[in-house]
Structures are given as C-alpha cells and as structure tokens.
Amino acid sequence: MSDSQTRLSRREEHTSLRQRGIYLLPNLFTSAALFGGFYAIVQAMNQHFEQSAIAIFIAMVMDGLDGRVARMTKTQSAFGAEYDSLADMVSFGVAPALIMYVWALQPMNKLGWIAAFIYCACAALRLARFNTKLDDPFQDKRFFQGLPSPAAAALLAGFVWVSYEYNIDGREIFFGALQVKWIAWFLTIFAAGSMVSDLKFYSGKDINLRHSVPFVAILAVVMAFVLISYSPPEVLFSVVFVYALSGYYMWVRGRLEAKKTGP
C-alpha cells in the first residue's frame, strides 16, 4: 500500500470515529461512578470517612446501572467497556485502599501501606482477568470468578461506615487487646484475596427485569428498602459481608457434594 493510500485509509478511519461518536447515556453513569470514587478519596484525605463510604456505595450503584443501561438501550461499545474498567480501578481499587489506609492502617507503617497496595493490585488483577474473559463462550455468565471489585470496595467502605456510626475510631483498642486496625488489616487482605480467587459469586445477570415476578418478590424489594432506610450502614455492610462469604459457602458445599458422589 502506498503512502497516499495509507493516509487516505487513516483519514477515513478517523472520520468514521467522529461520525460514530460516543454513546452518552451509559457513559454518564460511568462518569458518575468515577466521580464517586474520586470524591471518596478527597473526603478521606479530609478525614470525612462517612462521606467517603457513602460515595463508594453510590459509585457501586452507578457502576451497576451503566452496564444494564447499555444493554437495554443497545449502546454497548469497546470505548464504554474500557472507560468502565478504568473508572472501576479508581472507584473500587484505589479509593477503598486509600480510605482504609487513612482511617486505620496508617499507624501500622509498612504493614499498613503494604495491605492497601495488595488490595489495590488485586483489584487491578481482578479487572484485567474479567476483561480478558468477556468474550469467553465457556464462561458461566451466572457467576463471577472471584469477588467483584465493587463488592470488595463496599465491604471495606461498609466496615468504615459502621464503625463511624458507632463512634469507633480506626485507632481504637477494645478491652486493651483487640485493635481495630488489625481487624481492618485482615478485612483488607480478605477482600483482596477473594477478588483474585477462583471462587464463584452469583452475578445476577440472569435476572430479567422485563419478565413478570411473583407478588412476594415485590414485597421483598419493599422490605429491603425499608430496612436500608432504617439503618443503612448495618444493613448494607451485612448484605455485602454475607455476599463475600457466599463464594466460600458454595465452594465448601461443592466439595462436600463431590465427596458424597465420589467413589
């Protein structure tokens, strides 16, 4: 191909990209999730940990909406997938690690920032693995491989939020022995390890919002809103914590069933 033909081909490609543009609606939700993560970092630096935790949960909701909106409006794009992954790294990788470090891990010196870095690195590895398996035909879409990064971020943010609700400081010591910073350290490592594990976590992607549901399902949704409104920190943290343990429960149950059916 001659130089003139190459320049013409590149010009046509750039023109096509300009004409195609970027889908606005799903990327608005992604931008909102990114803003939530950045806002959480800023508030953590200002020692406003309650606002940081709330911002992480808002980012989690926005992140869950952008994909569904893109699928419902048929506006999926490679740009949107890449943008979503980068936003997730900020909101569910860097932000939770920094919040936990500033709130409780900083007095631990090297152990503190190493735990925060491990979480951040595992979040990046989890997102990279997820992106490489998006088009895998053998991947079971009903389950995630490893704890999703939004759930891991919500686990750390929920712990900070609940502690703040009960006036528990990250440097507090219970009964002269149990230090909150060590609970925070182990929770951070637990979330990091769960993200890069091979455990299965329910994805909810098989739920179709367009199909009819029993009346009990609507009642359960209403009760969930009531409970969250009554005590948001405790309820949200409890839900996320149970979800984080669900993968381990499914693994243990699978091993026990394999033993029963084995020779």
Side-chain angles (χ1 to χ4, degrees), residues 7 29 109 112 118 152 183 193 203 205 254:
R7 287 194 296 270
F29 287 98
N109 298 321
I118 290 174
I183 300 176
S203 67
K205 291 184 178 181

Side-chain angles (χ1 to χ4, degrees), residues 64-243:
L65 288 175
D66 62 359
R68 287 195 174 273
V69 168
R71 288 189 291 270
M72 291 175 65
T73 57
K74 297 181 179 180
T75 53
Q76 302 103 315
S77 66
F79 174 86
E82 293 297 328
Y83 184 35
D84 179 68
S85 182
L86 292 172
D88 286 354
M89 185 58 208
V90 174
S91 299
F92 311 125
V94 178
L98 182 61
I99 292 170
M100 190 63 82
Y101 175 76
V102 175
W103 181 70
L105 302 179
Q106 192 171 9
M108 303 177 72
N109 298 321
K110 287 185 179 181
L111 280 177
W113 66 257
I114 286 174
F117 172 74
I118 290 174
Y119 175 88
C120 195
C122 288
L125 293 170
R126 169 69 177 78
L127 290 167
R129 183 175 66 180
F130 176 79
N131 290 341
T132 57
K133 294 190 175 184
L134 281 175
D135 300 323
D136 186 358
F138 301 103
Q139 185 75 9
D140 191 349
K141 301 299 183 182
R142 297 175 302 166
F143 299 97
F144 292 119
Q145 183 182 4
L147 182 67
S149 56
L155 185 64
L156 301 191
F159 179 70
V160 174
W161 195 4
V162 169
S163 300
Y164 181 88
E165 190 74 10
Y166 287 94
N167 297 317
I168 299 173
D169 187 78
R171 295 165 174 80
E172 191 164 335
I173 301 176
F174 294 120
F175 309 112
L178 184 59
Q179 298 178 326
V180 175
K181 64 182 181 182
W182 282 109
I183 300 176
W185 191 89
F186 282 110
L187 189 65
T188 303
I189 297 299
F190 169 77
S194 298
M195 280 192 288
V196 295
S197 69
D198 289 328
L199 299 175
K200 292 183 178 180
F201 293 85
Y202 181 62
S203 67
K205 291 184 178 181
D206 56 344
I207 299 176
N208 194 330
L209 298 177
R210 297 180 181 180
H211 289 175
S212 60
V213 295
F215 177 77
V216 178
I218 301 298
L219 183 61
V221 171
V222 173
M223 291 301 298
F225 278 114
V226 170
L227 289 174
I228 294 174
S229 300
Y230 176 73
S231 185
E234 293 91 337
V235 173
L236 291 175
F237 176 70
S238 299
V239 170
V240 175
F241 187 70
V242 170
Y243 179 73

